[in-house]
PDB file of all heavy atoms in Angstrom:
ATOM      1  N   ALA Y 918     -61.162  20.792 -20.366  1.00  0.00           N
ATOM      2  CA  ALA Y 918     -60.060  19.908 -20.232  1.00  0.00           C
ATOM      3  C   ALA Y 918     -59.438  19.888 -18.872  1.00  0.00           C
ATOM      4  O   ALA Y 918     -59.482  20.914 -18.099  1.00  0.00           O
ATOM      5  CB  ALA Y 918     -58.932  20.242 -21.325  1.00  0.00           C
ATOM      6  N   GLU Y 919     -58.863  18.775 -18.486  1.00  0.00           N
ATOM      7  CA  GLU Y 919     -58.073  18.740 -17.229  1.00  0.00           C
ATOM      8  C   GLU Y 919     -56.654  19.306 -17.507  1.00  0.00           C
ATOM      9  O   GLU Y 919     -56.028  18.851 -18.474  1.00  0.00           O
ATOM     10  CB  GLU Y 919     -57.952  17.220 -16.726  1.00  0.00           C
ATOM     11  CG  GLU Y 919     -57.108  17.073 -15.467  1.00  0.00           C
ATOM     12  CD  GLU Y 919     -56.943  15.610 -15.106  1.00  0.00           C
ATOM     13  OE1 GLU Y 919     -56.299  14.885 -15.856  1.00  0.00           O
ATOM     14  OE2 GLU Y 919     -57.393  15.275 -14.005  1.00  0.00           O
ATOM     15  N   VAL Y 920     -56.304  20.270 -16.701  1.00  0.00           N
ATOM     16  CA  VAL Y 920     -54.990  20.930 -16.782  1.00  0.00           C
ATOM     17  C   VAL Y 920     -54.191  20.832 -15.545  1.00  0.00           C
ATOM     18  O   VAL Y 920     -54.690  21.134 -14.465  1.00  0.00           O
ATOM     19  CB  VAL Y 920     -55.232  22.432 -17.226  1.00  0.00           C
ATOM     20  CG1 VAL Y 920     -53.810  23.045 -17.449  1.00  0.00           C
ATOM     21  CG2 VAL Y 920     -56.130  22.628 -18.382  1.00  0.00           C
ATOM     22  N   ILE Y 921     -53.007  20.370 -15.666  1.00  0.00           N
ATOM     23  CA  ILE Y 921     -52.068  20.337 -14.532  1.00  0.00           C
ATOM     24  C   ILE Y 921     -50.863  21.198 -14.889  1.00  0.00           C
ATOM     25  O   ILE Y 921     -50.091  20.890 -15.800  1.00  0.00           O
ATOM     26  CB  ILE Y 921     -51.602  18.930 -14.250  1.00  0.00           C
ATOM     27  CG1 ILE Y 921     -52.864  17.979 -13.879  1.00  0.00           C
ATOM     28  CG2 ILE Y 921     -50.668  18.965 -13.020  1.00  0.00           C
ATOM     29  CD1 ILE Y 921     -52.917  16.861 -14.835  1.00  0.00           C
ATOM     30  N   LEU Y 922     -50.693  22.279 -14.159  1.00  0.00           N
ATOM     31  CA  LEU Y 922     -49.582  23.166 -14.354  1.00  0.00           C
ATOM     32  C   LEU Y 922     -48.552  22.831 -13.202  1.00  0.00           C
ATOM     33  O   LEU Y 922     -48.860  22.858 -12.010  1.00  0.00           O
ATOM     34  CB  LEU Y 922     -49.959  24.646 -14.169  1.00  0.00           C
ATOM     35  CG  LEU Y 922     -51.001  25.127 -15.341  1.00  0.00           C
ATOM     36  CD1 LEU Y 922     -52.243  25.458 -14.645  1.00  0.00           C
ATOM     37  CD2 LEU Y 922     -50.418  26.260 -16.053  1.00  0.00           C
ATOM     38  N   ALA Y 923     -47.274  22.542 -13.586  1.00  0.00           N
ATOM     39  CA  ALA Y 923     -46.305  22.209 -12.634  1.00  0.00           C
ATOM     40  C   ALA Y 923     -44.982  22.978 -12.940  1.00  0.00           C
ATOM     41  O   ALA Y 923     -44.563  23.003 -14.102  1.00  0.00           O
ATOM     42  CB  ALA Y 923     -46.030  20.698 -12.681  1.00  0.00           C
ATOM     43  N   GLY Y 924     -44.459  23.567 -11.887  1.00  0.00           N
ATOM     44  CA  GLY Y 924     -43.256  24.352 -12.071  1.00  0.00           C
ATOM     45  C   GLY Y 924     -43.087  25.419 -11.056  1.00  0.00           C
ATOM     46  O   GLY Y 924     -43.502  25.223  -9.907  1.00  0.00           O
ATOM     47  N   GLU Y 925     -42.373  26.518 -11.441  1.00  0.00           N
ATOM     48  CA  GLU Y 925     -42.222  27.661 -10.482  1.00  0.00           C
ATOM     49  C   GLU Y 925     -42.381  28.958 -11.275  1.00  0.00           C
ATOM     50  O   GLU Y 925     -41.985  29.071 -12.404  1.00  0.00           O
ATOM     51  CB  GLU Y 925     -40.884  27.614  -9.808  1.00  0.00           C
ATOM     52  CG  GLU Y 925     -39.682  27.652 -10.721  1.00  0.00           C
ATOM     53  CD  GLU Y 925     -38.412  27.664  -9.892  1.00  0.00           C
ATOM     54  OE1 GLU Y 925     -38.424  27.737  -8.677  1.00  0.00           O
ATOM     55  OE2 GLU Y 925     -37.290  27.588 -10.552  1.00  0.00           O
ATOM     56  N   GLY Y 926     -43.033  29.934 -10.634  1.00  0.00           N
ATOM     57  CA  GLY Y 926     -43.229  31.239 -11.203  1.00  0.00           C
ATOM     58  C   GLY Y 926     -44.615  31.659 -11.019  1.00  0.00           C
ATOM     59  O   GLY Y 926     -45.540  30.876 -10.656  1.00  0.00           O
ATOM     60  N   PRO Y 927     -44.906  32.994 -11.211  1.00  0.00           N
ATOM     61  CA  PRO Y 927     -46.266  33.544 -10.883  1.00  0.00           C
ATOM     62  C   PRO Y 927     -47.232  33.225 -11.987  1.00  0.00           C
ATOM     63  O   PRO Y 927     -46.970  33.353 -13.158  1.00  0.00           O
ATOM     64  CB  PRO Y 927     -45.927  35.049 -10.897  1.00  0.00           C
ATOM     65  CG  PRO Y 927     -44.721  35.259 -11.782  1.00  0.00           C
ATOM     66  CD  PRO Y 927     -43.933  34.005 -11.629  1.00  0.00           C
ATOM     67  N   LEU Y 928     -48.344  32.705 -11.629  1.00  0.00           N
ATOM     68  CA  LEU Y 928     -49.443  32.234 -12.556  1.00  0.00           C
ATOM     69  C   LEU Y 928     -50.694  33.128 -12.281  1.00  0.00           C
ATOM     70  O   LEU Y 928     -50.978  33.513 -11.223  1.00  0.00           O
ATOM     71  CB  LEU Y 928     -49.767  30.776 -12.284  1.00  0.00           C
ATOM     72  CG  LEU Y 928     -48.641  29.778 -12.679  1.00  0.00           C
ATOM     73  CD1 LEU Y 928     -49.200  28.297 -12.252  1.00  0.00           C
ATOM     74  CD2 LEU Y 928     -48.456  29.745 -14.257  1.00  0.00           C
ATOM     75  N   ASP Y 929     -51.424  33.317 -13.425  1.00  0.00           N
ATOM     76  CA  ASP Y 929     -52.758  33.858 -13.333  1.00  0.00           C
ATOM     77  C   ASP Y 929     -53.644  32.789 -13.980  1.00  0.00           C
ATOM     78  O   ASP Y 929     -53.853  32.780 -15.194  1.00  0.00           O
ATOM     79  CB  ASP Y 929     -52.784  35.186 -14.165  1.00  0.00           C
ATOM     80  CG  ASP Y 929     -54.219  35.765 -14.252  1.00  0.00           C
ATOM     81  OD1 ASP Y 929     -55.013  35.301 -13.414  1.00  0.00           O
ATOM     82  OD2 ASP Y 929     -54.480  36.524 -15.175  1.00  0.00           O
ATOM     83  N   VAL Y 930     -54.215  31.865 -13.228  1.00  0.00           N
ATOM     84  CA  VAL Y 930     -54.881  30.786 -13.611  1.00  0.00           C
ATOM     85  C   VAL Y 930     -56.388  30.797 -13.136  1.00  0.00           C
ATOM     86  O   VAL Y 930     -56.630  31.303 -12.081  1.00  0.00           O
ATOM     87  CB  VAL Y 930     -54.256  29.489 -13.293  1.00  0.00           C
ATOM     88  CG1 VAL Y 930     -52.858  29.260 -13.864  1.00  0.00           C
ATOM     89  CG2 VAL Y 930     -54.211  29.276 -11.682  1.00  0.00           C
ATOM     90  N   PRO Y 931     -57.310  30.216 -13.903  1.00  0.00           N
ATOM     91  CA  PRO Y 931     -58.654  30.229 -13.556  1.00  0.00           C
ATOM     92  C   PRO Y 931     -58.840  29.206 -12.422  1.00  0.00           C
ATOM     93  O   PRO Y 931     -58.271  28.163 -12.341  1.00  0.00           O
ATOM     94  CB  PRO Y 931     -59.433  29.747 -14.831  1.00  0.00           C
ATOM     95  CG  PRO Y 931     -58.455  28.913 -15.606  1.00  0.00           C
ATOM     96  CD  PRO Y 931     -57.113  29.570 -15.237  1.00  0.00           C
ATOM     97  N   SER Y 932     -59.780  29.505 -11.571  1.00  0.00           N
ATOM     98  CA  SER Y 932     -60.121  28.529 -10.475  1.00  0.00           C
ATOM     99  C   SER Y 932     -61.201  27.477 -11.010  1.00  0.00           C
ATOM    100  O   SER Y 932     -62.002  27.892 -11.930  1.00  0.00           O
ATOM    101  CB  SER Y 932     -60.764  29.220  -9.298  1.00  0.00           C
ATOM    102  OG  SER Y 932     -61.950  29.870  -9.678  1.00  0.00           O
ATOM    103  N   GLY Y 933     -61.117  26.310 -10.661  1.00  0.00           N
ATOM    104  CA  GLY Y 933     -62.078  25.296 -11.134  1.00  0.00           C
ATOM    105  C   GLY Y 933     -61.558  23.862 -10.784  1.00  0.00           C
ATOM    106  O   GLY Y 933     -60.361  23.698 -10.546  1.00  0.00           O
ATOM    107  N   PRO Y 934     -62.528  22.970 -10.896  1.00  0.00           N
ATOM    108  CA  PRO Y 934     -62.110  21.560 -10.547  1.00  0.00           C
ATOM    109  C   PRO Y 934     -61.128  20.836 -11.428  1.00  0.00           C
ATOM    110  O   PRO Y 934     -60.512  19.972 -11.077  1.00  0.00           O
ATOM    111  CB  PRO Y 934     -63.502  20.857 -10.496  1.00  0.00           C
ATOM    112  CG  PRO Y 934     -64.338  21.710 -11.415  1.00  0.00           C
ATOM    113  CD  PRO Y 934     -63.891  23.080 -11.280  1.00  0.00           C
ATOM    114  N   ASN Y 935     -61.041  21.349 -12.704  1.00  0.00           N
ATOM    115  CA  ASN Y 935     -60.161  20.744 -13.681  1.00  0.00           C
ATOM    116  C   ASN Y 935     -58.782  21.351 -13.756  1.00  0.00           C
ATOM    117  O   ASN Y 935     -57.977  20.940 -14.623  1.00  0.00           O
ATOM    118  CB  ASN Y 935     -60.831  20.788 -15.087  1.00  0.00           C
ATOM    119  CG  ASN Y 935     -62.094  19.939 -15.166  1.00  0.00           C
ATOM    120  OD1 ASN Y 935     -62.218  19.006 -14.377  1.00  0.00           O
ATOM    121  ND2 ASN Y 935     -62.949  20.324 -16.068  1.00  0.00           N
ATOM    122  N   VAL Y 936     -58.510  22.309 -12.941  1.00  0.00           N
ATOM    123  CA  VAL Y 936     -57.153  22.955 -12.985  1.00  0.00           C
ATOM    124  C   VAL Y 936     -56.425  22.727 -11.700  1.00  0.00           C
ATOM    125  O   VAL Y 936     -56.905  23.006 -10.606  1.00  0.00           O
ATOM    126  CB  VAL Y 936     -57.294  24.458 -13.226  1.00  0.00           C
ATOM    127  CG1 VAL Y 936     -55.916  25.176 -13.295  1.00  0.00           C
ATOM    128  CG2 VAL Y 936     -58.044  24.762 -14.528  1.00  0.00           C
ATOM    129  N   ASN Y 937     -55.193  22.159 -11.841  1.00  0.00           N
ATOM    130  CA  ASN Y 937     -54.344  21.764 -10.691  1.00  0.00           C
ATOM    131  C   ASN Y 937     -53.142  22.502 -10.883  1.00  0.00           C
ATOM    132  O   ASN Y 937     -52.443  22.446 -11.988  1.00  0.00           O
ATOM    133  CB  ASN Y 937     -54.046  20.312 -10.592  1.00  0.00           C
ATOM    134  CG  ASN Y 937     -55.322  19.472 -10.336  1.00  0.00           C
ATOM    135  OD1 ASN Y 937     -55.869  19.551  -9.214  1.00  0.00           O
ATOM    136  ND2 ASN Y 937     -55.865  18.755 -11.317  1.00  0.00           N
ATOM    137  N   VAL Y 938     -52.584  23.143  -9.916  1.00  0.00           N
ATOM    138  CA  VAL Y 938     -51.294  23.864  -9.906  1.00  0.00           C
ATOM    139  C   VAL Y 938     -50.391  23.161  -8.881  1.00  0.00           C
ATOM    140  O   VAL Y 938     -50.744  22.987  -7.700  1.00  0.00           O
ATOM    141  CB  VAL Y 938     -51.502  25.318  -9.559  1.00  0.00           C
ATOM    142  CG1 VAL Y 938     -50.105  26.036  -9.503  1.00  0.00           C
ATOM    143  CG2 VAL Y 938     -52.410  25.992 -10.540  1.00  0.00           C
ATOM    144  N   LEU Y 939     -49.176  22.762  -9.333  1.00  0.00           N
ATOM    145  CA  LEU Y 939     -48.157  22.136  -8.496  1.00  0.00           C
ATOM    146  C   LEU Y 939     -46.970  23.117  -8.513  1.00  0.00           C
ATOM    147  O   LEU Y 939     -46.134  23.089  -9.393  1.00  0.00           O
ATOM    148  CB  LEU Y 939     -47.805  20.769  -9.054  1.00  0.00           C
ATOM    149  CG  LEU Y 939     -48.931  19.802  -9.226  1.00  0.00           C
ATOM    150  CD1 LEU Y 939     -48.428  18.458  -9.756  1.00  0.00           C
ATOM    151  CD2 LEU Y 939     -49.643  19.541  -7.923  1.00  0.00           C
ATOM    152  N   PRO Y 940     -46.865  23.948  -7.507  1.00  0.00           N
ATOM    153  CA  PRO Y 940     -45.792  24.929  -7.459  1.00  0.00           C
ATOM    154  C   PRO Y 940     -44.492  24.355  -6.875  1.00  0.00           C
ATOM    155  O   PRO Y 940     -44.508  23.300  -6.313  1.00  0.00           O
ATOM    156  CB  PRO Y 940     -46.402  26.086  -6.624  1.00  0.00           C
ATOM    157  CG  PRO Y 940     -47.249  25.359  -5.585  1.00  0.00           C
ATOM    158  CD  PRO Y 940     -47.838  24.119  -6.390  1.00  0.00           C
ATOM    159  N   GLY Y 941     -43.508  25.170  -6.929  1.00  0.00           N
ATOM    160  CA  GLY Y 941     -42.211  24.848  -6.238  1.00  0.00           C
ATOM    161  C   GLY Y 941     -41.465  23.735  -6.881  1.00  0.00           C
ATOM    162  O   GLY Y 941     -40.747  23.042  -6.175  1.00  0.00           O
ATOM    163  N   LEU Y 942     -41.614  23.551  -8.167  1.00  0.00           N
ATOM    164  CA  LEU Y 942     -40.908  22.458  -8.910  1.00  0.00           C
ATOM    165  C   LEU Y 942     -39.992  23.085  -9.942  1.00  0.00           C
ATOM    166  O   LEU Y 942     -40.429  23.512 -11.006  1.00  0.00           O
ATOM    167  CB  LEU Y 942     -41.878  21.530  -9.599  1.00  0.00           C
ATOM    168  CG  LEU Y 942     -42.811  20.716  -8.603  1.00  0.00           C
ATOM    169  CD1 LEU Y 942     -43.970  20.111  -9.357  1.00  0.00           C
ATOM    170  CD2 LEU Y 942     -41.957  19.653  -7.885  1.00  0.00           C
ATOM    171  N   PRO Y 943     -38.693  23.275  -9.591  1.00  0.00           N
ATOM    172  CA  PRO Y 943     -37.821  24.047 -10.457  1.00  0.00           C
ATOM    173  C   PRO Y 943     -37.394  23.436 -11.784  1.00  0.00           C
ATOM    174  O   PRO Y 943     -36.767  24.123 -12.539  1.00  0.00           O
ATOM    175  CB  PRO Y 943     -36.605  24.285  -9.499  1.00  0.00           C
ATOM    176  CG  PRO Y 943     -36.527  23.096  -8.603  1.00  0.00           C
ATOM    177  CD  PRO Y 943     -38.010  22.727  -8.429  1.00  0.00           C
ATOM    178  N   GLY Y 944     -37.542  22.176 -11.932  1.00  0.00           N
ATOM    179  CA  GLY Y 944     -37.077  21.557 -13.247  1.00  0.00           C
ATOM    180  C   GLY Y 944     -38.211  20.926 -13.917  1.00  0.00           C
ATOM    181  O   GLY Y 944     -39.215  20.534 -13.420  1.00  0.00           O
ATOM    182  N   LYS Y 945     -38.075  20.853 -15.308  1.00  0.00           N
ATOM    183  CA  LYS Y 945     -39.130  20.277 -16.179  1.00  0.00           C
ATOM    184  C   LYS Y 945     -39.327  18.789 -15.899  1.00  0.00           C
ATOM    185  O   LYS Y 945     -40.512  18.317 -15.861  1.00  0.00           O
ATOM    186  CB  LYS Y 945     -38.669  20.523 -17.605  1.00  0.00           C
ATOM    187  CG  LYS Y 945     -39.775  20.094 -18.667  1.00  0.00           C
ATOM    188  CD  LYS Y 945     -39.310  20.428 -20.061  1.00  0.00           C
ATOM    189  CE  LYS Y 945     -40.492  20.144 -21.088  1.00  0.00           C
ATOM    190  NZ  LYS Y 945     -40.073  20.565 -22.498  1.00  0.00           N
ATOM    191  N   GLY Y 946     -38.259  18.109 -15.680  1.00  0.00           N
ATOM    192  CA  GLY Y 946     -38.421  16.642 -15.422  1.00  0.00           C
ATOM    193  C   GLY Y 946     -39.150  16.440 -14.071  1.00  0.00           C
ATOM    194  O   GLY Y 946     -40.035  15.564 -13.997  1.00  0.00           O
ATOM    195  N   ALA Y 947     -38.767  17.164 -13.002  1.00  0.00           N
ATOM    196  CA  ALA Y 947     -39.485  17.000 -11.752  1.00  0.00           C
ATOM    197  C   ALA Y 947     -40.949  17.441 -11.877  1.00  0.00           C
ATOM    198  O   ALA Y 947     -41.840  16.845 -11.263  1.00  0.00           O
ATOM    199  CB  ALA Y 947     -38.749  17.922 -10.685  1.00  0.00           C
ATOM    200  N   ALA Y 948     -41.220  18.494 -12.689  1.00  0.00           N
ATOM    201  CA  ALA Y 948     -42.589  18.936 -12.911  1.00  0.00           C
ATOM    202  C   ALA Y 948     -43.421  17.864 -13.601  1.00  0.00           C
ATOM    203  O   ALA Y 948     -44.583  17.633 -13.092  1.00  0.00           O
ATOM    204  CB  ALA Y 948     -42.604  20.243 -13.683  1.00  0.00           C
ATOM    205  N   ILE Y 949     -42.925  17.239 -14.608  1.00  0.00           N
ATOM    206  CA  ILE Y 949     -43.637  16.227 -15.353  1.00  0.00           C
ATOM    207  C   ILE Y 949     -43.931  14.947 -14.402  1.00  0.00           C
ATOM    208  O   ILE Y 949     -45.061  14.472 -14.462  1.00  0.00           O
ATOM    209  CB  ILE Y 949     -42.867  15.846 -16.592  1.00  0.00           C
ATOM    210  CG1 ILE Y 949     -42.943  17.000 -17.607  1.00  0.00           C
ATOM    211  CG2 ILE Y 949     -43.527  14.583 -17.217  1.00  0.00           C
ATOM    212  CD1 ILE Y 949     -42.171  16.789 -18.851  1.00  0.00           C
ATOM    213  N   ARG Y 950     -42.934  14.598 -13.674  1.00  0.00           N
ATOM    214  CA  ARG Y 950     -43.090  13.397 -12.804  1.00  0.00           C
ATOM    215  C   ARG Y 950     -44.247  13.665 -11.751  1.00  0.00           C
ATOM    216  O   ARG Y 950     -45.151  12.936 -11.496  1.00  0.00           O
ATOM    217  CB  ARG Y 950     -41.849  13.073 -12.033  1.00  0.00           C
ATOM    218  CG  ARG Y 950     -40.767  12.343 -12.948  1.00  0.00           C
ATOM    219  CD  ARG Y 950     -39.819  11.615 -12.032  1.00  0.00           C
ATOM    220  NE  ARG Y 950     -39.212  12.476 -11.103  1.00  0.00           N
ATOM    221  CZ  ARG Y 950     -38.184  13.254 -11.275  1.00  0.00           C
ATOM    222  NH1 ARG Y 950     -37.555  13.301 -12.475  1.00  0.00           N
ATOM    223  NH2 ARG Y 950     -37.584  13.931 -10.272  1.00  0.00           N
ATOM    224  N   ALA Y 951     -44.219  14.876 -11.154  1.00  0.00           N
ATOM    225  CA  ALA Y 951     -45.228  15.253 -10.170  1.00  0.00           C
ATOM    226  C   ALA Y 951     -46.577  15.347 -10.850  1.00  0.00           C
ATOM    227  O   ALA Y 951     -47.625  14.866 -10.235  1.00  0.00           O
ATOM    228  CB  ALA Y 951     -44.818  16.540  -9.496  1.00  0.00           C
ATOM    229  N   ALA Y 952     -46.673  15.945 -11.995  1.00  0.00           N
ATOM    230  CA  ALA Y 952     -47.969  16.135 -12.703  1.00  0.00           C
ATOM    231  C   ALA Y 952     -48.556  14.794 -13.137  1.00  0.00           C
ATOM    232  O   ALA Y 952     -49.832  14.639 -13.076  1.00  0.00           O
ATOM    233  CB  ALA Y 952     -47.797  17.009 -13.844  1.00  0.00           C
ATOM    234  N   LEU Y 953     -47.807  13.782 -13.503  1.00  0.00           N
ATOM    235  CA  LEU Y 953     -48.367  12.471 -13.943  1.00  0.00           C
ATOM    236  C   LEU Y 953     -49.127  11.841 -12.799  1.00  0.00           C
ATOM    237  O   LEU Y 953     -50.061  11.156 -13.160  1.00  0.00           O
ATOM    238  CB  LEU Y 953     -47.122  11.624 -14.394  1.00  0.00           C
ATOM    239  CG  LEU Y 953     -46.739  11.785 -15.904  1.00  0.00           C
ATOM    240  CD1 LEU Y 953     -45.386  10.986 -16.075  1.00  0.00           C
ATOM    241  CD2 LEU Y 953     -47.825  11.363 -16.780  1.00  0.00           C
ATOM    242  N   GLY Y 954     -48.798  12.148 -11.583  1.00  0.00           N
ATOM    243  CA  GLY Y 954     -49.508  11.492 -10.487  1.00  0.00           C
ATOM    244  C   GLY Y 954     -50.884  12.080 -10.431  1.00  0.00           C
ATOM    245  O   GLY Y 954     -51.808  11.490  -9.718  1.00  0.00           O
ATOM    246  N   ARG Y 955     -51.153  13.197 -11.021  1.00  0.00           N
ATOM    247  CA  ARG Y 955     -52.502  13.810 -10.903  1.00  0.00           C
ATOM    248  C   ARG Y 955     -53.359  13.565 -12.163  1.00  0.00           C
ATOM    249  O   ARG Y 955     -54.560  13.910 -12.141  1.00  0.00           O
ATOM    250  CB  ARG Y 955     -52.329  15.370 -10.746  1.00  0.00           C
ATOM    251  CG  ARG Y 955     -51.545  15.798  -9.563  1.00  0.00           C
ATOM    252  CD  ARG Y 955     -52.197  15.443  -8.231  1.00  0.00           C
ATOM    253  NE  ARG Y 955     -51.546  16.030  -7.070  1.00  0.00           N
ATOM    254  CZ  ARG Y 955     -51.760  17.200  -6.498  1.00  0.00           C
ATOM    255  NH1 ARG Y 955     -52.677  18.035  -7.061  1.00  0.00           N
ATOM    256  NH2 ARG Y 955     -51.104  17.569  -5.389  1.00  0.00           N
ATOM    257  N   VAL Y 956     -52.786  12.992 -13.239  1.00  0.00           N
ATOM    258  CA  VAL Y 956     -53.497  12.825 -14.410  1.00  0.00           C
ATOM    259  C   VAL Y 956     -54.643  11.694 -14.267  1.00  0.00           C
ATOM    260  O   VAL Y 956     -54.343  10.706 -13.636  1.00  0.00           O
ATOM    261  CB  VAL Y 956     -52.570  12.414 -15.571  1.00  0.00           C
ATOM    262  CG1 VAL Y 956     -53.324  11.881 -16.814  1.00  0.00           C
ATOM    263  CG2 VAL Y 956     -51.659  13.656 -15.977  1.00  0.00           C
ATOM    264  N   THR Y 957     -55.816  12.051 -14.700  1.00  0.00           N
ATOM    265  CA  THR Y 957     -56.856  11.059 -14.746  1.00  0.00           C
ATOM    266  C   THR Y 957     -57.359  10.653 -16.048  1.00  0.00           C
ATOM    267  O   THR Y 957     -58.062   9.598 -16.258  1.00  0.00           O
ATOM    268  CB  THR Y 957     -58.153  11.669 -13.953  1.00  0.00           C
ATOM    269  OG1 THR Y 957     -58.618  12.786 -14.724  1.00  0.00           O
ATOM    270  CG2 THR Y 957     -57.728  12.074 -12.532  1.00  0.00           C
ATOM    271  N   GLY Y 958     -56.957  11.285 -17.169  1.00  0.00           N
ATOM    272  CA  GLY Y 958     -57.443  10.976 -18.501  1.00  0.00           C
ATOM    273  C   GLY Y 958     -56.643   9.808 -19.078  1.00  0.00           C
ATOM    274  O   GLY Y 958     -55.438   9.504 -18.709  1.00  0.00           O
ATOM    275  N   ASP Y 959     -57.200   9.207 -20.091  1.00  0.00           N
ATOM    276  CA  ASP Y 959     -56.541   8.071 -20.782  1.00  0.00           C
ATOM    277  C   ASP Y 959     -55.452   8.585 -21.733  1.00  0.00           C
ATOM    278  O   ASP Y 959     -54.556   7.765 -22.117  1.00  0.00           O
ATOM    279  CB  ASP Y 959     -57.506   7.189 -21.610  1.00  0.00           C
ATOM    280  CG  ASP Y 959     -58.545   6.510 -20.708  1.00  0.00           C
ATOM    281  OD1 ASP Y 959     -58.216   6.235 -19.534  1.00  0.00           O
ATOM    282  OD2 ASP Y 959     -59.726   6.229 -21.164  1.00  0.00           O
ATOM    283  N   ILE Y 960     -55.476   9.821 -22.182  1.00  0.00           N
ATOM    284  CA  ILE Y 960     -54.483  10.435 -22.970  1.00  0.00           C
ATOM    285  C   ILE Y 960     -53.942  11.694 -22.241  1.00  0.00           C
ATOM    286  O   ILE Y 960     -54.666  12.397 -21.719  1.00  0.00           O
ATOM    287  CB  ILE Y 960     -55.071  10.766 -24.371  1.00  0.00           C
ATOM    288  CG1 ILE Y 960     -55.598   9.624 -25.117  1.00  0.00           C
ATOM    289  CG2 ILE Y 960     -54.055  11.546 -25.202  1.00  0.00           C
ATOM    290  CD1 ILE Y 960     -56.268   9.865 -26.427  1.00  0.00           C
ATOM    291  N   THR Y 961     -52.631  11.762 -22.323  1.00  0.00           N
ATOM    292  CA  THR Y 961     -51.922  12.909 -21.737  1.00  0.00           C
ATOM    293  C   THR Y 961     -51.207  13.661 -22.873  1.00  0.00           C
ATOM    294  O   THR Y 961     -50.453  13.058 -23.648  1.00  0.00           O
ATOM    295  CB  THR Y 961     -50.907  12.431 -20.659  1.00  0.00           C
ATOM    296  OG1 THR Y 961     -51.635  11.719 -19.647  1.00  0.00           O
ATOM    297  CG2 THR Y 961     -50.206  13.653 -20.100  1.00  0.00           C
ATOM    298  N   VAL Y 962     -51.403  14.996 -22.867  1.00  0.00           N
ATOM    299  CA  VAL Y 962     -50.704  15.882 -23.748  1.00  0.00           C
ATOM    300  C   VAL Y 962     -49.669  16.622 -22.958  1.00  0.00           C
ATOM    301  O   VAL Y 962     -49.979  17.240 -21.958  1.00  0.00           O
ATOM    302  CB  VAL Y 962     -51.637  16.827 -24.471  1.00  0.00           C
ATOM    303  CG1 VAL Y 962     -50.806  17.828 -25.331  1.00  0.00           C
ATOM    304  CG2 VAL Y 962     -52.633  16.104 -25.362  1.00  0.00           C
TER     305      VAL Y 962
END
């Protein structure tokens, strides 16, 4: 699955083409807005 993690805090995430990390986003609203720009699927969870 395509995974976009957005927010702030230490992560232990797998490397791979389907995993995107957007750090330095302190609020949930700001994180979701930034992540939506990276979504490529027709359905977003």
Side-chain angles (χ1 to χ4, degrees):
E919 178 181 66
V920 183
I921 302 120
L922 299 114
E925 59 175 356
L928 290 173
D929 173 21
V930 297
S932 59
N935 292 336
V936 179
N937 294 288
V938 178
L939 305 179
L942 296 165
K945 187 175 185 179
I949 289 173
R950 286 200 307 275
L953 275 172
R955 302 291 186 94
V956 167
T957 62
D959 292 334
I960 297 176
T961 298
V962 175

